[in-house]
Amino acid sequence: MRKSLDVLESMIYYWNTVAEKEKVSEQFIDFLAQDRGMKATYDENFDAESVRKVLSAISNVEPFIGDTLNEGKFWTNNMWMIEKMDYMNKIINPLKRLSVEDLGEGQVIFLPLHLDLFYKKGNTLYINFFMVEPDEINGTDKLTIEDVEVKEWIKKNMG
């Protein structure tokens, strides 16, 4: 199995830039919205325009009211990461070290999503990054989803 954090790597740049009170270019935001991984999760309630509107509003420090619950949740999740960069790092650093090669065929892609925990299409599992939880109590690199260790959760949901 392969793991992809490509969109998250771009989002880390976005979150850091916004946290430093700098503006992110509309071209970069459009690049994120058009990413193949993100597009795979779009539906009638959340699409590339949703991503663009939310990320642009945050970068431009504009008020935002989503047209759908998904847009509102996406806005809230992104604001949370910008305000809690240390929390984001407690998730992203162990995710970068996570090995999934021994879990068989397929791909697992971590994305900044909205309400849905995950999507499965064929042998690809798209996981909502915002639903991954670090071990803040013990300060270990252990990550969980729904109180299940991430690797075990992936194995269970790929089956």
Side-chain angles (χ1 to χ4, degrees):
M1 182 168 304
R2 293 175 306 145
K3 168 185 73 180
S4 173
L5 303 175
D6 295 347
V7 174
L8 284 179
E9 293 290 351
S10 297
M11 288 304 298
I12 291 166
Y13 166 80
Y14 173 87
W15 293 325
N16 279 312
T17 301
V18 173
E20 293 169 3
K21 309 281 188 241
E22 295 180 27
K23 188 174 175 344
V24 177
S25 76
E26 290 298 320
Q27 292 88 348
F28 185 79
I29 290 170
D30 192 52
F31 167 78
L32 285 168
Q34 297 301 326
D35 182 271
R36 184 176 62 219
M38 289 294 289
K39 280 183 171 183
T41 67
Y42 292 162
D43 61 24
E44 66 277 356
N45 294 314
F46 191 81
D47 58 18
E49 180 59 14
S50 301
V51 171
R52 191 205 62 73
K53 284 190 315 190
V54 170
L55 297 182
S56 184
I58 293 170
S59 177
N60 294 324
V61 194
E62 298 169 351
F64 182 80
I65 297 174
D67 293 332
T68 66
L69 186 58
N70 291 10
E71 288 180 0
K73 185 64 174 174
F74 187 66
W75 182 88
T76 301
N77 286 341
N78 279 282
M79 292 300 291
W80 175 41
M81 287 300 109
I82 292 163
E83 293 168 6
K84 303 284 186 185
M85 295 296 283
D86 57 330
Y87 184 85
M88 183 270 299
N89 284 317
K90 287 177 185 175
I91 301 170
I92 199 67
N93 292 331
L95 264 187
K96 286 180 180 181
R97 293 188 293 275
L98 179 68
S99 172
V100 295
E101 286 82 21
D102 60 330
L103 295 181
E105 294 297 314
Q107 183 173 23
V108 60
I109 301 174
F110 289 89
L111 297 170
L113 298 173
H114 39 77
L115 297 172
D116 294 318
L117 174 57
F118 72 98
Y119 295 86
K120 185 174 181 207
K121 295 187 179 176
N123 66 348
T124 302
L125 190 62
Y126 301 90
I127 299 174
N128 188 345
F129 170 76
F130 300 123
M131 303 292 192
V132 179
E133 296 180 18
D135 178 13
E136 290 197 291
I137 294 170
N138 300 311
T140 69
D141 276 357
K142 180 182 173 192
L143 297 173
T144 59
I145 300 174
E146 299 180 306
D147 296 323
V148 176
E149 190 274 327
V150 152
K151 205 164 172 176
E152 286 300 313
W153 189 93
I154 292 169
K155 190 185 324 182
K156 179 179 92 171
N157 286 283
M158 276 303 281

